[in-house]
Amino acid sequence: RFLSPEFIPPRGRTDPLKFYIERKDMIQRRKAFNIPEFYVGHILAVTTANPYASEKASRFVGICIQRGGKGLGATFVLRNIIEDQGVEIRYELYNPRIQAIEVLKLEKRLDDNLMYLRDALPEYSTFDVNMKPVSHLDHEEIPVNKLQVRMKPKPWSKRWERPQYNIKGIKFELPEKKMKEAQKWSQPWVEFDMLREYDTSKIEEKIWKEVSEELKK
Amino acid sequence: SVTGACQAIQKLTRVRVVDNSALGNTPYHRPPKCIHVYNKNGIGKVGDKILLAIKGEKKKALIVGHKMPGPVMTPRFDSNNVVLIEDNGNPVGTRIKTPIPYILRRREGEFSKVLAIARNFV
């Protein structure tokens, strides 16, 4: 029972008709081409049509570090390190150039956004290009990898120790003083702010029913 | 590097030379820096030619990857990569190990020799 996050409309005052039309297009594309269920932290292999590649198709293997966008413009970023060079590619889920998405390893991580892998040691982002798909038996559980990643020495691209990022998957080797100083920027009132609340449970159920009915046809 | 994330390549950006030429690989106390971008605006993206200052000499180079996110479906590298080039377009090195984006293939005419020595494509 998984609904892809790009189906859920963002909070705003746009006409729901726009989202309905987009959902129809997304479902049509899904019927033509299977987009598997995947989360941030999965290792995917994407083959895209490329006029400049040999055999017109290029394959890229990487870990999904971020899923963004809503509707037809939904994107995901795959990261891998090839020949000591970190490469990240942002793919659009509904782009007709994508020919196949295979999930090589199903594995959720502790966070929703793995952008800190850019500042982590390269061993945490290297994945074998010719990796065999790891078979996943049960349809219910997706294992959570509670890996604590070790980072390169500071400076980092973002101050990941700050509480706004809420990262649980890093092993901070910073002194206690720095960790306490980072907590100065915490905003504990934000989680109780009622104006920022966006309850998607009912919307999700409606959309889930709609989408699953359409896909069964 | 000492400064923070560097966007597309412009004057005074520190660059990483990626081929196996002698100029690019011998250590020097100053990193190779861009001094001019051959573009109408001073911003260099993938496939633009720039002038580098390496080891006290001026050398032209071709940008093969930068840290700035580009169009969707194109790769974004973790370092600003550059391949040393002569004035007529011949590469100085003989092999390029790091991956090169497929976008460069569009301008096969100008960069055919660089693409010939490249080994991996992304």
Side-chain angles (χ1 to χ4, degrees), chain A residues 88-107:
Chain A
E88 290 176 12
I89 309 191
R90 179 173 284 257
Y91 288 107
E92 284 172 337
L93 275 177
Y94 297 99
N95 195 326
R97 272 170 67 187
I98 298 186
Q99 286 164 347
I101 306 182
E102 304 151 21
V103 178
L104 293 178
K105 196 167 179 199
L106 280 134
E107 190 183 66

Side-chain angles (χ1 to χ4, degrees), chain B residues 22-77:
Chain B
L23 248 194
N25 293 38
T26 40
Y28 192 62
H29 55 88
R30 302 188 67 175
K33 276 193 190 170
C34 169
I35 16 177
H36 188 258
V37 181
Y38 292 105
N39 224 349
K40 290 291 177 178
N41 50 340
I43 304 180
K45 304 274 182 176
V46 175
D48 288 335
K49 298 215 177 116
I50 57 173
L51 230 202
L52 284 190
I54 310 180
K55 297 186 77 176
E57 298 164 17
K58 292 183 276 192
K59 198 82 186 171
K60 278 206 189 175
L62 175 74
I63 305 178
V64 285
H66 48 68
K67 267 181 158 188
M68 172 144 181
V72 212
M73 314 289 256
T74 50
R76 185 203 86 103
F77 295 86

